[in-house]
Amino acid sequence: MQHIIEITEDGSHTLYVPELDEHYHSTHGAIQESLHVYLEAGLHHCGKSEVNLLEIGFGTGLNAFLTLLDIKKSGKTIKYTTLERYPVSFVDAEMFNYSKLLDPAQEEKFMRLHSCPWGDWVGITPNFHLKKLQMDASSLEDFQPEGLFDVIYYDAFAPEKQPGMWTQAIFNRLYTLSNQGAVLTTYCAKGVVRRMLQSADFGVERLPGPLGKREILRAVK
């Protein structure tokens, strides 16, 4: 999938996909959006010290990198499984400015997120283990993880761009893959998405969105 690197309003990079006329992150700020939607509303809402986390859409690796940096402070241990159909090239990843803006000393760790092999568990740090799977997440019935998840980052392209990623079957499957008390967060607060999550038996709440977005959704099993 062809893409163009662009700068968002908080100075951090995103990717623009001309084919879909869609950005990977909010143009108001990639870092501020990811922190708000996935770290603050999602990971920080989980009280466990050992967290099994699933990400739908690895993309630029920003959510994974922010999670890795966050657990340096919190002391959590994360097993981070991420599904991505169209991996970003290592050459493009080298151009992203996330480590420069967040923690230049962690540039090597950020690049390891992209360079480590797909399909195997890799210890990026003693507290952060990553498993990248190159697969179409619209077919989650084929996904057989080793355990249930405590946190889910749902970061697919918008429903109007990739409707196959926003179906009742997907949210039903994610419910069965979740531990009791698991939390799922997504930037998409459309009524149809909220209703599908509720139909899957999640408890759903609307939360204030990041800059430029009115609301986001948090779903809890």
Side-chain angles (χ1 to χ4, degrees):
M1 186 179 292
Q2 293 187 337
H3 47 249
I4 300 165
I5 297 176
E6 294 185 354
I7 296 283
T8 63
E9 291 177 11
D10 68 0
S12 58
H13 282 134
T14 190
L15 293 176
Y16 172 68
V17 182
E19 177 185 346
L20 298 176
D21 187 25
E22 180 79 331
H23 291 86
Y24 275 56
H25 310 94
S26 168
T27 56
H28 293 282
I31 287 176
Q32 65 91 21
E33 178 192 38
S34 290
L35 281 172
H36 184 97
V37 178
Y38 301 109
L39 278 293
E40 294 169 10
L43 181 61
H44 294 175
H45 196 69
C46 176
K48 293 186 175 181
S49 59
E50 297 184 1
V51 178
N52 199 17
L53 189 152
L54 172 66
E55 177 187 45
I56 305 295
F58 182 66
T60 65
L62 177 56
N63 293 338
F65 188 51
L66 288 170
T67 302
L68 184 152
L69 295 179
D70 186 80
I71 63 172
K72 287 178 62 182
K73 310 171 205 171
S74 69
K76 290 180 184 288
T77 296
I78 302 279
K79 290 184 68 177
Y80 196 108
T81 303
T82 184
L83 313 183
E84 176 60 58
R85 187 176 182 182
Y86 302 106
V88 169
S89 73
F90 186 80
V91 172
D92 281 343
E94 286 183 306
M95 299 176 67
F96 298 148
N97 64 0
Y98 304 136
S99 57
K100 178 181 178 182
L101 295 174
L102 293 164
D103 188 344
Q106 301 304 313
E107 170 69 11
E108 185 270 338
K109 301 280 194 318
F110 175 73
M111 293 312 304
R112 281 202 69 202
L113 297 175
H114 286 275
S115 65
C116 67
W118 291 75
D120 298 318
W121 283 108
V122 178
I124 307 297
T125 73
N127 286 16
F128 186 96
H129 288 77
L130 175 68
K131 187 175 189 178
K132 300 185 297 185
L133 297 173
Q134 187 172 356
M135 62 174 289
D136 183 356
S138 65
S139 302
L140 281 182
E141 65 272 12
D142 300 326
F143 175 47
Q144 301 294 332
E146 298 159 23
L148 299 179
F149 295 102
D150 305 301
V151 175
I152 299 173
Y153 297 165
Y154 203 84
D155 200 12
F157 286 126
E160 60 270 24
K161 306 296 183 178
Q162 280 191 326
M165 290 297 303
W166 304 84
T167 67
Q168 189 64 61
I170 286 176
F171 292 119
N172 289 347
R173 179 64 174 147
L174 289 176
Y175 186 86
T176 66
L177 294 175
S178 300
N179 274 315
Q180 195 63 38
V183 55
L184 177 155
T185 52
T186 179
Y187 66 89
C188 183
K190 290 181 178 293
V192 64
V193 175
R194 176 177 53 81
R195 289 188 291 274
M196 283 191 290
L197 285 165
Q198 289 173 327
S199 293
D201 218 17
F202 284 102
V204 185
E205 58 182 322
R206 294 188 181 95
L207 301 175
L211 181 65
K213 188 165 185 59
R214 189 163 62 91
E215 293 178 332
I216 63 171
L217 293 180
R218 178 165 63 205
V220 178
K221 181 172 179 179

